[in-house]
Amino acid sequence: MSKISIAVIGAGLIGKTHIDRARFNPDVHLAGIADPSPAAAELARSLGVPCFPDYATLLRETRPRGVVVATPNVTHAQITIDCLSHGAAVLVEKPIADTLVDARRICEASRAAGLPVLVGHQRRHNPIMRKAKAVVEAGTLGRPVSATVMCTWLKPRDYFDVSWRRQPGGGPILINLIHDIDLMRHLYGEIESVQAIASNAVRGFEVEDTAVVALRFRNGALGTVTVSDTTAAPWNWDLSAGEAERFARQDVNAHFYSGTEGSLTLPRLELWRYRSDQGPAEGWHDPFTEERTAVHTGCPYTEQMRHFVALIEGREAPVCSAVDGMRTLAATLAAAQAAASGQAVHLPAY
């Protein structure tokens, strides 16, 4: 099989991650990097890869079959649409865009071009989530009833030296909560309505530092998420799942999914069920059985790049399509709107 030509637009922190995963994928030829910074040019020189100051030149001169878009959120839509018009499939970092209008533009452009767009919600590619998805789809939990998610940690003071992080839109609802909402949608399906309350009582910035969100899923299940960046707490995906080496991994759970026949914790993958040899269990007086699955560790970004190659070749359907990314964005924006208005926000039926 000939190698797939893939280019990366944006060589910041996440862009470098994609560049690294592309370089070490045996089925990928890293065609080039587009980024105007001197640091990007130096990185490209060290790798023996062409670097372009703008993405238009990269697309014209390298003609890649796939492009990773790892640029600021506000630029996602136009760059993605331009890549599609040049005949390249796209892996665009999350969120798919910064507005629903732009997210819809990407979806329409993908359909018109007949080319796939993969949204970089990398947690879906984690072996833990793949196992959790299989458990839920097999009906092991029975009918979904509730989901309880924690997204609580402490961001250091210098994190807020950047002014936009102290202003509306720069807080944990839009920056961090989107990841957890995406995982909840991935396991439980579409969200019908959202309610939320937020507080900035600790830091006193314009933006929230803490929020509680309540979700109603279309299958009747209910979900709650507590998100805060000002708590001395380990209960969040980043610290518990071990996806990023820069965080010390904590042996705790952050997600709890409960159904009529069983419950599942993540990332520890503990499955709780009534398993009686004396016939059907009646309820809380019966003994509980706990089973834990220890999955092999794996880098979600490595798996995401492998999947992107398969997507380009038409061998797999997108794990997180443009439409999927748009729906996750819609639910997250609804949480921000609900927190600001004090009113429930109803999402459209898809």
Side-chain angles (χ1 to χ4, degrees), residues 272-275 286-290:
W272 292 84
R273 290 185 287 178
Y274 291 112
R275 301 289 293 271
D286 293 304
F288 249 135
T289 296
E290 177 194 2

Side-chain angles (χ1 to χ4, degrees), residues 40-330:
E42 179 58 35
L43 172 64
R45 278 194 295 270
S46 71
L47 300 177
V49 174
C51 185
F52 303 88
D54 62 88
Y55 72 89
T57 306
L58 175 143
L59 293 174
R60 184 174 63 252
E61 295 195 11
T62 68
R63 297 187 178 278
R65 290 187 63 188
V67 176
V68 178
V69 176
T71 56
N73 299 348
V74 69
T75 67
H76 284 185
Q78 194 57 56
I79 294 176
T80 298
I81 291 169
D82 288 345
C83 290
L84 291 167
S85 70
H86 278 76
V90 179
L91 193 175
V92 58
E93 262 303 324
K94 77 284 177 190
I96 183 174
D98 62 338
T99 68
L100 286 179
V101 170
D102 277 348
R104 292 190 187 96
R105 289 176 59 211
I106 291 175
C107 293
E108 291 166 1
S110 176
R111 284 193 292 268
L115 292 167
V117 170
L118 178 67
V119 183
H121 283 287
Q122 86 284 350
R123 294 181 183 179
R124 293 192 182 202
H125 300 276
N126 191 307
I128 296 168
M129 281 308 301
R130 296 175 75 172
K131 177 62 177 179
K133 179 73 168 175
V135 168
V136 173
E137 288 190 337
T140 306
L141 303 188
R143 178 175 176 174
V145 174
S146 70
T148 302
V149 171
M150 300 292 290
C151 183
T152 53
W153 65 93
L154 182 64
K155 290 179 180 175
R157 291 179 183 176
D158 61 5
Y159 176 88
F160 300 96
D161 289 345
V162 181
S163 62
W164 66 263
R165 290 174 173 166
R166 305 191 299 270
Q167 299 166 358
I173 289 180
L174 292 179
I175 301 301
N176 306 108
L177 183 65
I178 191 168
H179 296 286
D180 296 284
I181 286 180
D182 186 69
L183 293 188
M184 297 170 81
R185 280 192 59 252
H186 190 47
L187 294 184
Y188 271 14
E190 298 306 332
I191 296 168
E192 182 177 276
S193 62
V194 180
Q195 299 179 63
I197 53 175
S199 171
N200 65 348
V202 175
R203 291 200 173 93
F205 297 147
E206 291 181 68
V207 72
E208 80 282 346
D209 54 50
T210 304
V212 176
V213 180
L215 311 168
R216 180 183 295 275
F217 292 86
R218 294 199 177 275
N219 61 15
L222 302 178
T224 60
V225 189
T226 298
V227 58
S228 179
D229 59 20
T230 188
T231 61
W235 300 299
N236 60 78
W237 185 267
D238 296 272
L239 294 185
S240 61
E243 285 187 354
E245 294 179 355
R246 65 184 181 275
F247 298 127
R249 188 172 187 177
Q250 307 299 315
D251 191 18
V252 296
N253 285 308
H255 287 226
F256 304 81
Y257 296 89
S258 300
T260 55
E261 301 296 327
S263 295
L264 182 67
T265 68
L266 298 177
R268 287 172 56 86
L269 284 171
E270 297 156 333
L271 179 61
W272 292 84
R273 290 185 287 178
Y274 291 112
R275 301 289 293 271
S276 174
D277 295 333
Q278 308 301 317
E282 295 296 331
W284 58 23
H285 294 296
D286 293 304
F288 249 135
T289 296
E290 177 194 2
E291 306 168 33
R292 184 179 179 190
T293 300
V295 297
H296 289 285
T297 58
C299 173
Y301 289 102
T302 298
E303 171 58 21
Q304 184 175 242
M305 183 59 67
R306 183 211 63 77
H307 173 63
F308 188 40
V309 170
L311 191 61
I312 292 170
E313 294 183 326
R315 294 186 285 110
E316 296 180 10
V319 169
C320 189
S321 67
V323 172
D324 244 340
M326 180 180 69
R327 292 174 181 175
T328 289
L329 176 64

